[in-house]
């Protein structure tokens, strides 16, 4: 067997996630944490100790030195390709991205759960941009083993893709030629744009108030031809709000890519301009459009003009109360979670997990355990889609698959004290692209927070018990073009896990044309002078590789159903009762599911063989979470623009077999070739049998084996059917766009596990035993304070509760609290005041924020969308 074949097999069995982590953890000597605040006057917490992860983070991204070593290795291996770090054209050969090739679960589990097993072999995943048969391509390659040695090889990476291919064709001109064509096109109609819009393209001041931008939007891609439309926008000189400043002029384009010819041919695109569209009228060519514009009586539509209405902030308003700062959360005594910053490993009140980040999909969580038991192997973003509808040439064909732009690549520095509390731990990420490493400072945060609502409470006649709802959040924010997505992984004291996404930013609006065709709000609402909102669906896919108390799991529908029953104890007085009962339906084949009507079914993932103390199967329930409504799937049926690129969006959630060869439900390059995507989800959710042998739990299924051991994966969607309204101008608000999915323990423990960790108080009220009424009710005790009163029934009960099973008092052993009348705290309350420095309340952002500028994706052109900004020759 040759060395290339050996490496292919080694990477197949040892590693396998499609897009792995970008978030390299800074190598600090202190594995505990780096305090952001110098709290000199604060009551000291327990002594800070070194905290170390039990295992190496096998999902962690390449360190900068590792990436540099791989770049050097590939430059030698691909010396005939003339690899460059400064590409100037799409046919140049360059390493587009480089990151860790995530290991296969079948190789990771032995390492995690046995002492003898070594960590899986480490490899890199390189995306090469190069010419093949005269055409530009992206192709995936595996590089390993690492560190680089004489045994290291580079081979095509094919096993994660349902297509069997490891490459896609880039049937598009480069960014420079694309934007140059658009500028030239706009300049050629300067007389028309001046007449209709009072503006024209200005190369000297492209973002000026009277300048225009021209953006292309491709709607079909077929064997070297780009068909689409160019639309004119104002740049948004006050705010960068060009997506809500469309101007209503559209030009049809057909680009024949010169790279479709042979090697060495002229690769500049041959652009052709066809019809023009304005105010509901389609003009055959530019001459006819120009003639119509300057005809007397030509019907003009008002332009969208930038102004204060697009500003996202108001510095001058002063309603009552704005003169004072708002309440904020503080953490005066330090964190209660433990963080190994190097390995990115977290421990918090029974939860333990690793996390990392990838360039395409951002932060992911791995090996989640609760109270020492397995819950999830992986929780990660797969894809974020926005699919639009409209009656103009731009909106009607507009869709985005944001992993192509890079949810991790575009996760920029967080604003301390605003994106996350000032006291949060902030961590950096690194990107390895174009032969260079780029640091994204403080773009992931971790913090504990106490909600404004309780976790639980109960009031009796003589007591009140309340429990604070404190949770742990791992957060990042991805800014893809006009939208900012805040992505949270939230962990609760009862063992629940929530994935929550909030969207904000500018909508992508449509031009509001005033013509006879605009008779109703079919695709949105008018929200400004010449601006219409654009109806669109956000569908954001996540993967949950559940391992509930082990890898052998089953999924069931637990239905709440109406039923008519007779009971022997009811006879003969009551013949039949119309009531309800529970009925379980096992999911025996891979399938897609929608949230049930009236929430009439529970979706449960059970352990196949592990039970709690009461003989019930340990499980987790999957529910639509704490957003403003049930999470959606795509409204469009059989999308003509997405084709087979996002079939996962057609149901709310899916259950499938877990396979090493199916590590992801999507691929970023599906955006380039939606008709023949690298990952076709229908080949993952293809109806395979989910019935399994319970005895086959210990070793994950080897791919190619017909057996199935119960290791299943849930793909689920969050998002919204977004119908923007006037309240979305200037920006969509995050509290109205939030959606989430919760994984809630269901018989997983023997009782509520949060009782051990929650903070709260029981107020035991004073009362007398005299009177015939119930305490707290008329005729009962009057609540007078009398130290000579005999013990009440409630106090007698407290004494009994303070004893162990043998009737002995427990307060003397193990620190058990002696219950008494008054305030009984469980957990530690604050006992005295603290003095905080100003930075704990309001960080100095002129010093704390490091970034000079952000490389936000420009959704208008293919070069920027791909993250490549080729240098001008």
């Amino acid at each position: 067997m040759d060395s290339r074949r050996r490496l292919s097999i080694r990477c197949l069995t040892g590693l396998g996630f499609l897009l792995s982590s970008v978030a390299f953890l800074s190598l600090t000597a202190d594995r505990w944490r780096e305090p952001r605040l110098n709290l000199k006057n604060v009551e000291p917490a327990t002594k800070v100790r070194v905290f170390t992860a039990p295992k190496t983070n096998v999902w962690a991204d390449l360190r900068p030195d590792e990436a540099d070593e791989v770049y050097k290795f590939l430059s030698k291996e691909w010396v005939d390709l003339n690899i460059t770090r400064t590409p100037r054209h799409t046919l140049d050969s360059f390493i587009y991205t480089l990151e860790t090739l995530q290991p296969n679960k079948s190789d990771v589990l032995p390492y995690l759960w046995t002492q003898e097993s070594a960590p899986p072999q480490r490899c890199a995943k390189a995306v090469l941009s190069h010419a093949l048969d005269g055409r530009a391509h992206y192709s995936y390659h595996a590089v390993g083993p690492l560190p680089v040695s004489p045994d290291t090889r580079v081979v095509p990476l094919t096993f994660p893709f349902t297509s069997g291919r490891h490459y896609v064709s880039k049937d598009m001109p480069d960014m420079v030629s694309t934007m140059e064509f658009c500028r030239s096109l706009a300049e050629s109609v300067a007389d028309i744009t001046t007449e209709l819009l009072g503006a024209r393209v200005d190369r000297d001041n492209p973002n000026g108030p009277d300048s225009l931008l021209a953006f292309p939007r491709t709607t079909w891609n077929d064997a070297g031809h780009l068909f689409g439309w160019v639309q004119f926008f104002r740049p948004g000189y006050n705010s960068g709000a060009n997506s809500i400043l469309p101007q209503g002029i559209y030009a049809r384009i057909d680009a024949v890519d010169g790279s479709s010819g042979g090697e060495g041919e002229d690769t500049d695109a041959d652009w052709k301009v066809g019809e023009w569209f304005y105010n509901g009228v389609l003009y055959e060519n530019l001459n006819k459009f120009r003639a119509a514009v300057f005809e007397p009586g030509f019907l003009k539509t008002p332009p969208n003009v930038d102004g204060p209405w697009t500003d996202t902030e108001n510095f001058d308003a002063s309603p009552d109360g704005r003169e004072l700062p708002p309440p904020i959360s503080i953490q005066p005594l330090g964190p209660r979670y433990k963080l190994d910053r190097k390995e990115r490993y977290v421990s918090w009140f029974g939860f333990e997990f690793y996390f990392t980040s990838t360039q395409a999909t951002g932060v992911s969580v791995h090996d989640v355990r609760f109270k020492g038991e397995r819950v999830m192997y992986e929780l990660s973003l797969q894809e974020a889609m926005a699919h639009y509808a409209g009656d103009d040439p731009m909106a009607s064909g507009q869709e985005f698959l944001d992993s192509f732009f890079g949810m991790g690549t575009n996760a920029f520095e967080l604003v301390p004290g605003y994106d996350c509390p000032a006291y949060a731990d902030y961590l950096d990420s690194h990107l390895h692209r174009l032969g260079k490493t780029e640091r994204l400072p403080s773009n992931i945060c971790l913090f504990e927070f106490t909600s404004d609502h309780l976790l639980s409470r109960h009031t009796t006649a003589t007591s009140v018990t309340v429990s604070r709802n404190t949770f742990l959040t791992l957060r990042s924010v991805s800014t893809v073009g006009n939208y900012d997505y805040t992505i949270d992984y939230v962990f609760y004291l009862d063992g629940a896990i929530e994935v929550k996404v909030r969207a904000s930013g500018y909508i992508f609006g449509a031009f509001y044309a005033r013509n006879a065709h605009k008779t109703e709000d079919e695709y949105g609402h008018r929200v400004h002078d010449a601006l219409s909102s654009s109806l669109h669906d956000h569908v954001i896919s996540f993967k949950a590789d559940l391992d509930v108390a082990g890898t052998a799991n089953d999924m069931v529908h637990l239905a709440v159903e109406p039923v008519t029953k007779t009971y022997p104890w009811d006879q003969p007085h009551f013949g039949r009762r119309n009531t309800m009962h529970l009925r379980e339906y096992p999911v025996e084949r891979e399938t897609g599911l929608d949230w049930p009507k009236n929430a009439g079914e529970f979706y449960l993932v059970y352990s196949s063989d592990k039970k709690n103390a009461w003989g019930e199967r340990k499980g987790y329930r999957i529910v639509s979470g704490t957003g403003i409504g049930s999470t959606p799937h795509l409204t469009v049926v059989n999308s003509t623009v997405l084709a087979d690129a996002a079939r996962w969006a057609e149901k709310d959630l899916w259950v499938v077999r877990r396979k090493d060869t199916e590590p992801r439900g999507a691929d970023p390059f599906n955006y380039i070739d939606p008709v023949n995507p690298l990952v076709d989800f229908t080949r993952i959710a293809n109806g395979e049998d989910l019935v399994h042998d319970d005895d086959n739990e210990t070793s994950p299924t080897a791919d190619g084996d017909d057996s199935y051991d119960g290791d299943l994966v849930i793909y689920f969607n969050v998002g919204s059917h977004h119908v923007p309204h006037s309240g979305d101008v200037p920006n969509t608000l995050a509290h109205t766009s939030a959606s989430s999915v919760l994984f809630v323990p269901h018989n997983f423990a023997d009782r509520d596990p949060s009782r051990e960790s929650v903070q709260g108080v029981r107020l035991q009220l004073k009362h007398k035993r005299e009177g015939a009424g119930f305490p707290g009710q008329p005729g009962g005790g009057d609540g007078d304070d009398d130290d000579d009163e005999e013990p009440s029934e409630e106090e007698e009960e407290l004494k009994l509760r303070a004893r162990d099973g043998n009737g002995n008092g427990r307060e003397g052993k193990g620190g058990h609290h002696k219950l008494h009348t008054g305030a009984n705290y469980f957990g530690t309350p604050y006992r005295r005041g603290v003095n905080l420095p100003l930075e704990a309340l309001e960080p100095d952002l002129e010093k704390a924020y490091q970034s000079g500028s952000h490389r936000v994706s420009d959704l208008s052109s293919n070069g920027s969308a791909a993250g490549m900004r080729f240098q001008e020759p």
Side-chain angles (χ1 to χ4, degrees):
M1 186 183 298
D2 62 41
S3 58
R4 291 172 65 89
R5 174 64 175 162
R6 284 197 300 271
L7 177 62
S8 179
I9 293 175
R10 182 182 301 126
C11 289
L12 174 62
T13 59
L15 308 141
F17 197 82
L18 171 63
L19 285 167
S20 185
S21 39
V22 169
F24 164 66
L25 319 173
S26 56
L27 295 175
T28 60
D30 180 8
R31 287 188 165 191
W32 171 229
R33 67 188 307 271
E34 296 174 359
R36 293 182 55 81
L37 303 174
N38 182 19
L39 308 181
K40 295 180 179 179
N41 300 318
V42 175
E43 177 185 350
T46 57
K47 183 178 180 181
V48 174
R49 63 189 183 281
V50 174
F51 175 70
T52 305
K55 301 276 186 174
T56 299
N57 187 339
V58 297
W59 304 275
D61 194 31
L62 302 175
R63 302 187 309 272
D65 62 301
E66 286 183 303
D68 189 58
E69 188 178 43
V70 174
Y71 277 131
K72 293 176 181 177
F73 171 78
L74 291 176
S75 295
K76 294 178 181 177
E77 286 291 302
W78 290 333
V79 63
D80 55 321
L81 296 178
N82 192 25
I83 298 294
T84 179
R85 300 193 183 196
T86 55
R88 297 174 181 272
H89 199 277
T90 54
L91 291 186
D92 286 350
S93 295
F94 56 92
I95 299 172
Y96 176 50
T97 60
L98 183 67
E99 55 191 350
T100 298
L101 177 60
Q102 290 191 354
N104 286 337
K105 182 179 180 180
S106 57
D107 294 321
V108 174
L109 288 189
Y111 171 65
L112 292 178
W113 292 96
T114 65
Q115 296 298 323
E116 297 79 17
S117 182
Q121 191 176 78
R122 189 161 168 81
C123 290
K125 174 168 61 64
V127 176
L128 173 67
S129 180
H130 62 115
L132 180 65
D133 297 328
R135 302 190 62 78
H137 287 75
Y138 287 124
S139 58
Y140 286 101
H141 299 266
V143 185
L146 300 180
V148 172
S149 71
D151 295 329
T152 300
R153 298 291 183 270
V154 54
V155 298
L157 178 63
T158 58
F159 73 83
F161 309 116
T162 63
S163 65
R165 308 189 321 271
H166 74 295
Y167 61 88
V168 293
S169 175
K170 294 192 297 180
D171 294 325
M172 57 181 72
D174 65 76
M175 178 186 173
V176 171
S177 64
T178 301
M179 298 313 296
E180 176 56 34
F181 166 76
C182 290
R183 283 192 293 264
S184 298
L185 172 64
E187 288 173 333
S188 72
V189 293
D191 57 331
I192 295 176
T193 62
T194 301
E195 174 71 16
L196 298 180
L197 308 174
R200 59 190 297 167
V201 168
D202 184 351
R203 290 178 183 257
D204 295 329
N205 187 20
N207 293 316
D210 296 322
S211 185
L212 287 179
L213 303 175
F215 292 165
R217 179 61 185 168
T218 302
T219 57
W220 184 253
N221 187 334
D222 180 31
H225 290 75
L226 295 180
F227 302 91
W229 290 84
V230 172
Q231 182 177 8
F232 291 79
F233 292 80
R234 271 187 161 82
Y237 70 98
N238 279 341
S239 54
N242 55 67
S243 67
I244 58 172
L245 294 170
Q247 299 302 308
I249 300 177
Y250 310 85
R252 182 182 175 89
I253 58 171
D254 177 0
V256 180
D257 188 356
S259 66
S260 60
E263 192 81 33
E265 291 187 11
D266 182 9
T267 57
D268 290 332
D270 180 15
W271 294 95
K272 296 180 181 179
V273 181
E275 300 96 335
W276 290 75
F277 184 77
Y278 178 77
N279 200 17
V281 179
L282 185 65
Y283 299 90
E284 184 179 349
N285 54 49
L286 177 58
N287 290 335
K288 292 187 176 182
F289 180 39
R290 177 175 280 119
V293 169
F294 291 100
E295 279 285 333
F298 179 76
L299 181 61
K300 300 179 183 179
T301 61
N304 274 311
V305 180
D306 201 3
W309 68 278
T310 68
D311 290 345
T312 56
E313 58 283 311
N314 187 328
F315 293 101
D316 300 320
S318 55
D320 287 348
R322 204 181 188 191
E323 72 278 6
L324 296 174
I328 60 170
S329 179
I330 62 172
Q331 180 183 268
L333 302 182
R336 303 192 305 168
Y337 57 82
K338 301 180 183 69
L339 169 64
D340 181 337
R341 295 180 69 91
K342 178 178 180 294
E343 298 297 342
R344 298 203 168 182
Y345 177 76
V346 179
S347 176
W348 177 79
F349 288 111
F351 272 113
E352 298 170 297
F353 60 88
Y354 295 87
F355 65 94
T356 187
S357 182
T358 71
Q359 295 188 41
T361 57
V363 175
S364 58
V365 177
H366 299 266
D367 189 25
V368 181
R369 310 182 194 190
F370 184 64
K371 306 291 185 181
E373 288 205 75
R374 296 190 234 184
V375 175
M376 287 187 189
Y377 174 78
E378 177 187 351
L379 186 58
S380 60
L381 176 70
Q382 301 294 293
E383 185 57 272
M385 179 194 69
H387 195 305
Y388 288 74
D391 60 0
D392 68 55
M394 183 67 73
S396 63
Q398 188 159 260
E399 46 78 26
F400 299 103
L401 296 175
D402 287 341
S403 72
F404 177 64
F405 304 91
M407 297 292 281
T409 302
N410 291 285
F412 302 114
E413 184 175 4
L414 299 165
V415 180
Y418 291 84
D419 279 318
C420 313
Y423 58 77
D425 271 290
Y426 293 81
L427 300 99
D428 301 342
S429 295
H430 288 78
L431 306 175
H432 311 301
R433 296 152 43 90
L434 292 178
K436 307 176 184 68
T437 294
E438 175 186 356
R439 172 176 166 261
L440 296 179
S442 300
N443 70 337
I444 301 172
C445 72
L446 179 71
F447 61 91
E448 193 180 13
F449 200 83
T450 298
S451 175
D452 63 339
H453 68 87
L454 296 172
L455 185 62
S456 65
R457 78 178 319 280
H458 184 59
T459 302
T460 73
T462 58
S463 67
V464 179
T465 298
V466 293
S467 301
R468 284 178 170 148
N469 183 13
T470 303
F471 52 85
L472 184 72
T473 298
L474 181 66
R475 173 174 294 170
S476 62
V477 178
S478 296
T479 303
V480 184
N482 54 305
Y483 271 117
D484 292 54
Y485 298 96
T486 298
I487 301 172
D488 289 351
Y489 298 103
V490 186
F491 302 86
Y492 295 94
L493 291 169
D494 65 335
I497 304 168
E498 183 175 23
V499 176
K500 191 162 192 173
V501 178
R502 299 174 178 87
S504 187
Y506 290 105
I507 63 172
F508 212 119
F511 187 77
Y512 189 87
R514 298 179 183 179
N515 58 63
H517 302 291
K518 287 283 186 182
T519 57
E520 60 180 345
D521 290 343
E522 184 179 2
Y523 299 103
H525 304 298
R526 183 183 176 190
V527 292
H528 206 256
D529 293 339
L531 180 65
S532 173
S533 68
S534 291
L535 166 66
H536 58 283
D537 279 356
H538 290 284
V539 188
I540 304 168
S541 173
F542 285 83
K543 174 185 178 182
D545 184 349
L546 285 155
D547 285 350
V548 179
T551 56
N553 289 173
D554 300 296
M555 187 173 185
V556 304
H557 306 227
L558 184 62
V560 182
E561 296 181 340
V563 67
T564 300
K565 299 280 287 187
T566 60
Y567 302 99
W569 43 263
D570 239 351
Q571 309 308 319
H573 309 291
F574 206 99
R576 290 150 55 94
R577 287 182 182 266
N578 292 331
T579 182
M580 58 185 174
H581 69 166
L582 295 175
R583 187 174 177 185
E584 187 174 288
Y585 298 91
V587 179
E588 297 183 338
R589 289 196 172 274
E590 295 180 331
T591 189
L593 302 168
D594 290 333
W595 298 117
K597 181 181 178 181
N598 193 34
E601 292 184 358
F602 293 1
Y603 293 149
L604 293 167
V605 175
Y606 279 130
S607 170
S608 299
D609 56 357
K610 302 294 176 58
K611 299 181 179 181
N612 66 11
W614 321 119
E616 299 288 345
R617 289 168 294 174
K618 292 175 175 283
Y620 263 74
R621 180 185 173 190
I622 308 169
V623 297
S624 191
T626 60
I628 63 170
S630 294
T631 58
H633 59 267
L634 181 61
T635 303
V636 178
V637 177
N638 195 25
S639 169
T640 50
V641 291
L642 281 175
D644 291 328
R647 296 293 182 185
W648 47 265
E650 296 176 344
K651 292 288 184 179
D652 291 329
L653 65 158
W654 303 80
V655 55
V656 301
R657 289 187 179 194
R658 189 216 65 82
K659 298 180 181 179
D660 283 343
T661 54
E662 296 175 352
R664 281 182 44 82
D667 185 84
F669 294 135
N670 283 6
Y671 192 53
I672 295 180
D673 192 354
V675 177
N676 299 293
L678 281 178
V679 176
D680 182 346
F681 192 77
T682 62
R683 298 187 183 184
I684 295 175
N686 57 358
E688 290 186 90
D689 191 355
L690 294 178
V691 178
H692 64 95
D693 180 0
D694 292 348
D695 294 332
N696 192 28
E697 188 271 334
T698 54
S699 59
T701 303
D703 293 294
D705 189 347
D706 290 335
S707 64
Y708 169 62
D709 60 2
D711 194 358
L712 56 79
V713 167
I714 304 296
Y715 288 94
F716 64 94
N717 296 324
V718 299
S720 64
H721 302 302
H722 195 181
V723 183
H725 57 94
S726 59
D728 287 89
V729 177
N731 276 183
T732 293
L733 301 180
H735 75 278
T736 62
S737 65
S739 64
S740 73
V741 166
L742 267 166
F743 296 84
V744 184
H746 191 89
N747 290 325
F748 189 76
D750 299 336
R751 67 192 296 265
D752 172 18
S754 74
R755 296 300 87 204
E756 301 174 7
S757 306
V758 75
Q759 308 277 93
V761 64
R762 177 188 176 107
L763 289 175
Q764 188 60 47
L765 310 181
K766 295 181 179 181
H767 66 278
K768 294 181 178 181
R769 296 183 65 183
E770 64 183 15
F774 191 78
Q777 298 293 326
D782 59 11
D784 290 341
D785 187 4
D786 188 346
D787 292 337
D788 295 331
E789 287 290 336
E790 62 178 303
S792 68
E793 292 177 358
E794 183 77 9
E795 290 166 335
E796 292 287 358
E797 179 188 348
L798 293 180
K799 290 182 179 180
L800 291 175
R801 292 177 61 181
R803 296 179 179 273
D804 61 23
N806 298 319
N808 300 314
R810 294 184 297 180
E811 60 270 15
K813 293 183 179 181
H816 189 276
H817 178 74
K818 182 179 180 180
L819 297 169
H820 61 275
T821 300
N824 296 267
Y825 293 97
F826 40 98
T828 304
Y830 287 96
R831 298 293 187 183
R832 55 184 173 179
V834 295
N835 295 317
L836 294 174
L838 177 60
E839 62 180 354
L841 303 175
E842 190 73 44
D844 184 350
L845 295 178
E846 293 187 357
K847 296 179 179 178
Y849 202 76
Q850 305 172 51
S851 301
S853 63
H854 298 138
R855 184 199 56 257
V856 177
S857 289
D858 181 353
L859 305 183
S860 65
S861 64
N862 62 79
S864 177
M868 298 291 95
R869 294 186 176 273
F870 300 118
Q871 298 181 2
E872 298 275 2

